[in-house]
Amino acid sequence: MAAPIVMDVKVANISDIKGKGLLACKPFIEGDVILEEKPIVSAQYSWNELYQYKACEHCLRSLEPAEAMARRLSNNSSLTLSYPECCDVNELQISPCLQCQMLYCSPACRDVAFSQYHKVLCLGRSREDPAHPLNALMEIWRSFHYPPETTSAMLIAKMVALVKQAEDKGEILQQFSRFCQVAVNEHDGLAHKLLGEKFEVQREALRTHFLNVLQEESVQNWFHPEGFNSLIALIGTNGQGIASSSFSRWVKKVEALDLDDEERSRVDAETEKIYDQMEEVSGDFLDCEGSGLYQLQSACNHSCEPNAEIKFVHGDNTLSLVALKDISPEEEITISYIGCCDVNRSRHSRQKILRENYLFHCRCDKCLSQADHESITSDDDEEEDEEEEMDD
């Protein structure tokens, strides 16, 4: 569980406004993998689990073959995929916990999970049992965190379990202390959206449930109201979305095949049609499997014109930070905290998402240049503002 040692980048103080950031220690060219990193903890999104996404409880590798996933998400039981050999799900390796039946992609993942945190979370009861304490916890979480999800309360459960099972509790706590845990940005007058007054009852119910099920002496401050709010802020502002769907991996492998023009056109049309069907039926549940806490990634600051991006090329929770353009030594490495669709929207929309989820007003070059001449909002911005007023 020690922090990764990476000599190609360093965490350093960037400015009084930004605080820390990630700097390059050597030149990178476009397409270079800057670093790869495993999370301290990761967890599947609770709504994805409810809607039958099957993923390894430890590494989030998809356990559902690409064709089966496409059929479920499109509600089309007769759908068939070309080139089935491009699906890399190995169902023969799937290994359940012998007590609670949680699924793992391999015996190795099952054993690592049990040795690090799952012994505490298993509780010797089947997770199929609606009365299982963790199922009740997820029900409370879903009552105030709706799709599209940005984090998971199961990250908190795993954090507590890691501490409870650790031989050196201080080492684990030191790792978590490196993450931003600010619930309110007093300078900008911002609070995380999950900490609003309208969620106060659900948040207190969640805290009480954690206290009853996973109390741990060494982190008693986590279970106090203020400390628990800091935990919510920690997972909300640091959680990195993890995309590991077997269908997306099938698409990428088919794209890499050496096909003639006619066959390429046919396969591309087939894939586009499937995506359209899945979008119509499943919407937000296409490729958003879970969330993780990554030490080096969490040091990357946001930019609406980033010079790097996060990818998950190994089909599990291993994060790859990839250069989008050439980067010089001592240059700051930046990523976008918001999705590719949102980052192309107006400055108004981007700022709204960043304020609610990450507690800051973006001052990147793109936002500063657009601030001078953005006098009106787009139609979708106005619709969002109207919906927000109705909710209030």
Side-chain angles (χ1 to χ4, degrees):
M1 296 302 296
I5 300 174
V6 181
M7 304 304 295
D8 295 340
V9 298
K10 64 181 178 182
V11 179
N13 193 62
I14 301 297
S15 68
D16 292 337
I17 295 176
K18 284 187 173 183
K20 291 182 178 180
L22 198 67
L23 296 181
C25 294
K26 70 169 197 177
F28 295 99
I29 62 173
E30 180 180 346
D32 277 354
V33 176
I34 300 170
L35 64 87
E36 290 195 326
E37 182 180 13
K38 280 283 191 181
I40 301 176
V41 290
S42 63
Q44 189 177 22
Y45 287 137
S46 61
W47 284 96
N48 280 43
E49 184 177 358
L50 186 68
Y51 282 92
Q52 299 180 331
Y53 263 93
K54 295 179 181 178
C56 176
E57 195 275 337
H58 182 64
C59 76
L60 298 192
R61 183 178 296 278
S62 182
L63 304 181
E64 184 178 29
E67 187 171 89
M69 180 177 288
R71 287 178 174 181
R72 177 173 56 80
L73 293 176
S74 65
N75 194 29
N76 181 359
S77 60
S78 63
L79 183 151
T80 58
L81 295 183
S82 304
Y83 305 101
E85 67 275 10
C86 289
C87 174
D88 57 8
V89 174
N90 186 350
E91 293 182 281
L92 296 177
Q93 283 289 307
I94 295 176
S95 303
C97 168
L98 299 180
Q99 297 184 72
C100 71
Q101 303 305 307
M102 287 297 291
L103 298 179
Y104 297 88
C105 66
S106 67
C109 263
R110 181 192 61 199
D111 295 345
V112 169
F114 194 81
S115 68
Q116 291 182 352
Y117 59 84
H118 187 68
K119 183 177 179 180
V120 167
L121 299 181
C122 180
L123 302 174
R125 298 171 61 180
S126 172
R127 283 292 300 276
E128 298 296 321
D129 179 2
H132 192 289
L134 294 184
N135 288 335
L137 185 151
M138 287 296 99
E139 281 294 327
I140 299 171
W141 178 249
R142 285 191 290 267
S143 72
F144 69 102
H145 191 37
Y146 308 106
E149 292 179 87
T150 55
T151 189
S152 171
M154 190 56 68
L155 290 176
I156 297 178
K158 289 188 175 182
M159 289 170 66
V160 176
L162 275 173
V163 174
K164 289 177 76 72
Q165 286 191 216
E167 292 184 7
D168 186 347
K169 299 183 187 301
E171 180 186 353
I172 297 296
L173 291 173
Q174 186 178 27
Q175 290 185 54
F176 289 132
S177 71
R178 298 190 182 105
F179 291 98
C180 173
Q181 302 181 42
V182 177
V184 178
N185 182 336
E186 295 181 356
H187 180 268
D188 289 334
L190 301 172
H192 196 277
K193 67 179 182 180
L194 294 174
L195 299 176
E197 292 183 3
K198 63 181 179 179
F199 299 135
E200 186 173 353
V201 173
Q202 295 97 321
R203 209 165 51 244
E204 178 59 19
L206 191 68
R207 184 184 74 85
T208 301
H209 193 75
F210 268 111
L211 186 62
N212 292 336
V213 177
L214 292 172
Q215 188 169 176
E216 163 61 30
E217 274 188 29
S218 60
V219 288
Q220 279 299 311
N221 59 307
W222 286 4
F223 297 97
H224 298 154
E226 185 176 340
F228 192 71
N229 283 351
S230 294
L231 280 184
I232 295 289
L234 187 155
I235 65 170
T237 57
N238 296 280
Q240 166 65 49
I242 297 169
S244 56
S245 88
S246 57
F247 180 74
S248 293
R249 286 182 59 74
W250 173 85
V251 170
K252 289 181 173 63
K253 290 196 172 188
V254 170
E255 287 175 347
L257 294 176
D258 184 15
L259 305 176
D260 61 42
D261 292 344
E262 182 178 352
E263 178 64 1
R264 174 60 62 193
S265 295
R266 185 194 71 78
V267 172
D268 287 349
E270 174 190 277
T271 303
E272 183 176 355
K273 181 180 178 180
I274 293 171
Y275 267 125
D276 288 343
Q277 292 174 347
M278 293 195 300
E279 176 70 32
E280 182 178 351
V281 173
S282 301
D284 292 326
F285 295 97
L286 292 185
D287 195 18
C288 50
E289 284 72 49
S291 180
L293 298 178
Y294 297 82
Q295 286 192 4
L296 289 173
Q297 174 274 338
S298 69
C300 288
N301 286 314
H302 165 83
S303 172
C304 296
E305 287 186 320
N307 56 17
E309 66 176 341
I310 301 297
K311 291 187 175 183
F312 292 90
V313 299
H314 300 291
D316 60 9
N317 59 12
T318 304
L319 176 153
S320 300
L321 182 63
V322 181
L324 286 172
K325 55 186 74 172
D326 293 353
I327 300 173
S328 303
E330 297 301 315
E331 182 179 350
E332 183 182 6
I333 299 169
T334 59
I335 59 176
S336 174
Y337 291 179
I338 56 182
C340 57
C341 293
D342 289 325
V343 80
N344 290 319
R345 297 179 67 182
S346 71
R347 173 178 173 271
H348 174 88
S349 291
R350 301 195 307 271
Q351 294 278 6
K352 180 175 183 289
I353 296 170
L354 293 168
R355 286 195 307 269
E356 291 180 344
N357 292 282
Y358 301 102
L359 309 184
F360 70 91
H361 293 292
C362 184
R363 299 175 178 87
C364 72
D365 291 343
K366 181 176 180 178
C367 283
L368 291 176
S369 66
Q370 291 179 344
D372 295 334
H373 61 266
E374 187 181 69
S375 58
I376 58 174
T377 63
S378 60
D379 291 342
D380 60 323
D381 295 335
E382 293 174 355
E383 289 176 5
E384 282 182 3
D385 289 342
E386 290 174 2
E387 290 173 1
E388 190 175 71
E389 290 175 3
M390 291 176 63
D391 290 340
D392 293 341

